Amino acid sequence: SYKKVVADCFANDSLFQKALKEAFETFINRDIGKFSFAALLSTFCDRLLKKSGDKLSDDQIEQQLNRVVELFSFLQDKDLFADIYRTQLAKRMLYETSASDDAERSMIAKLKLKCGAQFTSKLEGMVNDLRNASEEQRNFAVTVRTYPTR
């Protein structure tokens, strides 16, 4: 990794760290054809977090999410990423194609750590609303089963 090169060759000198950061910001925020990097990064997350995606272990998914968030930190248009990610999360939740609720919560927690609670409040609300709806549905089903019929 480039961070390792800066650490090993330049003893983590702050000027080299700054140069590396600026270089990443420059190429990550450059337009790539008809898709922005924010859209590509969000779509990569979507594929990682879907059931139909690559069959990765929980640890592998976690490592990939860490890398995504590291790249995300260089992104200037974080709001565009958030909009696309929110739409994709909604689809995963509504169509029940999410591979793991824990992985979904982990990604949201990582974004929250990077950008703050304001940034992830809608995402957290979506996950909590779906969990509450599922709980209410189960409670209703139990009530219907135990309610005496005439």
Side-chain angles (χ1 to χ4, degrees):
S1 101
Y2 296 107
K3 283 184 174 183
K4 188 168 175 11
V5 170
V6 170
D8 293 348
C9 297
F10 304 108
N12 274 332
D13 183 77
S14 62
L15 288 175
F16 285 98
Q17 287 179 350
K18 183 179 179 196
L20 180 66
K21 179 181 179 285
E22 288 174 359
F24 267 89
E25 286 174 350
T26 298
F27 85 80
I28 281 181
N29 292 295
R30 185 171 290 155
D31 284 338
I32 308 165
K34 61 182 179 177
F35 299 107
S36 68
F37 187 77
L40 294 173
L41 194 61
S42 183
T43 301
F44 180 75
C45 287
D46 188 51
R47 289 184 183 156
L48 267 178
L49 296 169
K50 272 187 178 177
K51 286 179 187 173
S52 61
D54 296 335
K55 300 298 178 209
L56 301 174
S57 71
D58 290 344
D59 288 340
Q60 289 171 317
I61 291 173
E62 194 66 24
Q63 287 175 346
Q64 290 291 332
L65 293 178
N66 285 333
R67 290 178 183 141
V68 165
V69 172
E70 192 170 343
L71 289 175
F72 170 81
S73 67
F74 296 108
L75 192 60
Q76 289 175 345
D77 201 354
K78 291 176 173 58
D79 290 336
L80 176 61
F81 173 89
D83 288 343
I84 297 167
Y85 184 85
R86 186 178 321 115
T87 301
Q88 292 168 332
L89 173 63
K91 287 178 183 176
R92 285 193 304 273
M93 292 170 64
L94 289 174
Y95 300 126
E96 297 179 356
T97 58
S98 182
S100 161
D101 289 343
D102 290 338
E104 296 286 2
R105 282 197 264 293
S106 174
M107 181 61 180
I108 293 170
K110 290 173 191 324
L111 291 172
K112 186 176 184 176
L113 197 61
K114 231 6 142 181
C115 298
Q118 178 92 22
F119 186 80
T120 59
S121 63
K122 289 181 183 177
L123 301 174
E124 290 174 314
M126 290 168 59
V127 171
N128 291 336
D129 288 348
L130 190 67
R131 185 181 52 219
N132 291 341
S134 295
E135 201 172 294
E136 288 296 322
Q137 215 170 7
R138 278 193 301 277
N139 291 342
F140 179 75
V142 168
T143 302
V144 167
R145 280 194 303 265
T146 59
Y147 192 79
T149 58
R150 294 181 197 183

